[in-house]
Amino acid sequence: MNSDAPLGHRLIEADGIIISHIKDTYTKGRVVRDQFRELLDTYAIDVIAVEESLQAFRRGLSSAKTLSTLSRFNGIVCFIAQDEFEKEVNMLGVVASRKSVGIKIDRKNKKENPIKEQVLDWVKKHPDFKDFSWPMKTLASGPRKGQTIYDKQCYDIADAAVICICQMQLEQ
C-alpha cells in the first residue's frame, strides 16, 4: 500500500503466496524469498509490517505443534523480509491492529459469523479495497458443487490489509 496516496487510492497490490501444498520448510522459504524479490524488482519498499505470531493457546484452535510451526515460519519470513528489503520488520499484534483500525468483532455469534468472515467483510468495505477483485473459486464437488465462493487466500489478504492499514495509522 502507498501511505502517501489519498484514502481510497492507497492499494497497490494484494495477493497471497500459496505454499500450503509444499511440505518442506526450506522450499517454502525459497518461494517466499522469490516472491519478495519480485516485489523488490517492481516497487520501492519503505516499511514492512508483519502480524505477530499467536502467543497463547485458545481452546478449539491451534495445537502446540501448530503454534510452534507457525511461529518458526513467521520468524523465517521476517528474516527473509529484513534481509531482502534491508528494512526493519515491524511486528503488530492482530487483536490490537483490528481494534486500532476500528474493527469491532462480534464474539457472541462466532459460529454464525466467524471472526475471519467479519474481518474480510470489514476490509471489503474499506475505501482502499472498494475496487479490489477478490480471488474466487467455484466448488467442483460436494453438496455445494458449482457454487462460487471466496478463495481461502482472501482471509490472509484481509488479515494483511488490517496490518497494513494499522501500520499506516501508526506512521501518521
Side-chain angles (χ1 to χ4, degrees):
M1 296 185 80
N2 179 355
S3 60
D4 294 329
L7 181 65
H9 302 281
R10 300 182 299 183
L11 180 63
I12 297 171
E13 183 175 329
D15 201 357
I17 303 172
I18 309 302
I19 56 174
S20 56
H21 63 285
I22 302 171
K23 300 298 179 215
D24 177 58
T25 303
Y26 178 75
T27 304
K28 286 182 180 192
R30 284 197 334 233
V31 170
V32 169
R33 182 181 294 274
D34 291 345
Q35 290 292 311
F36 285 177
R37 286 179 176 167
E38 283 184 33
L39 288 173
L40 194 55
D41 288 344
T42 308
Y43 304 108
I45 308 295
D46 296 323
V47 177
I48 303 165
V50 175
E51 180 181 322
E52 282 183 345
S53 299
L54 289 175
Q55 302 295 316
F57 295 105
R58 283 192 236 142
R59 196 169 61 158
L61 295 177
S62 300
S63 67
K65 182 179 180 185
T66 300
L67 286 177
S68 174
T69 301
L70 290 172
S71 184
R72 186 174 70 238
F73 196 69
N74 188 309
I76 291 168
V77 170
C78 288
F79 171 80
I80 293 169
Q82 190 161 333
D83 190 49
E84 289 298 320
F85 300 121
E86 298 178 349
K87 305 283 182 205
E88 186 174 329
V89 174
N90 301 320
M91 304 294 286
L92 301 175
V94 66
V95 174
S97 295
R98 288 176 188 157
K99 186 176 181 179
S100 175
V101 301
I103 299 176
K104 294 184 180 11
I105 299 295
D106 179 4
R107 297 191 182 282
K108 293 178 185 167
N109 295 321
K110 285 193 295 190
K111 287 191 179 187
E112 295 167 17
N113 192 12
I115 292 173
K116 64 183 183 176
E117 293 290 342
Q118 294 179 54
V119 172
L120 178 60
D121 288 344
W122 185 90
V123 173
K124 287 183 343 190
K125 294 174 187 168
H126 191 277
D128 288 318
F129 284 82
K130 67 182 183 298
D131 296 324
F132 180 65
S133 295
W134 292 90
M136 306 293 284
K137 75 174 190 175
T138 302
L139 300 175
S141 61
R144 300 188 305 162
K145 180 179 179 178
Q147 185 178 353
T148 301
I149 62 170
Y150 287 104
D151 191 281
K152 64 182 179 181
Q153 69 177 308
C154 291
Y155 303 111
D156 294 329
I157 293 169
D159 287 340
V162 170
I163 296 298
C164 283
I165 294 166
C166 180
Q167 177 64 43
M168 287 189 294
Q169 287 179 348
L170 292 172
E171 291 174 16
Q172 294 175 347

